[in-house]
Amino acid sequence: MSDRPAKPPRHWAELTAPERTDALQALGLPAYRADQLSRHYFERYEADPTTWSDLPAASREGVTALFPPLAVPVAERSADGGTTVKAAYRLTGGALVETVLMTY
């Protein structure tokens, strides 16, 4: 048994444009939806398909499977009146990542 974490599922952001089209067609969606979803994700930075009103509600669950969470927040602390925020995230493969954002 390996100590390495399991490989995370493939994410929308890793797919090429033709692969994104194929993935949506496999869900029974028309090819043009791949372009719509790419605009949401890559141009508008919207990662939650449940909020995409131009996607039929019945299709959102299947599309959500293409967007597994890449990082789940674990903890957050702020200091300096909120201008410094330290956060910890658990990645899909199990690794823990800490970040610090200083907005001054």
Side-chain angles (χ1 to χ4, degrees), residues 12-77:
W12 181 261
E14 296 178 287
L15 302 177
T16 64
E19 289 172 330
R20 291 192 293 268
T21 301
D22 291 345
L24 290 183
Q25 287 182 317
L27 292 173
L29 295 172
Y32 72 88
R33 293 281 183 206
D35 201 36
Q36 286 179 309
L37 272 61
S38 292
R39 277 196 303 276
H40 278 290
Y41 192 79
F42 296 113
E43 294 175 19
R44 298 178 187 152
Y45 307 113
E46 298 169 351
D48 182 5
T50 63
T51 65
W52 301 345
S53 60
D54 58 348
L55 182 65
S59 302
R60 292 177 192 166
E61 186 176 320
V63 171
T64 300
L66 297 173
F67 291 87
L70 298 177
V72 177
V74 175
E76 185 176 294
R77 292 184 182 172

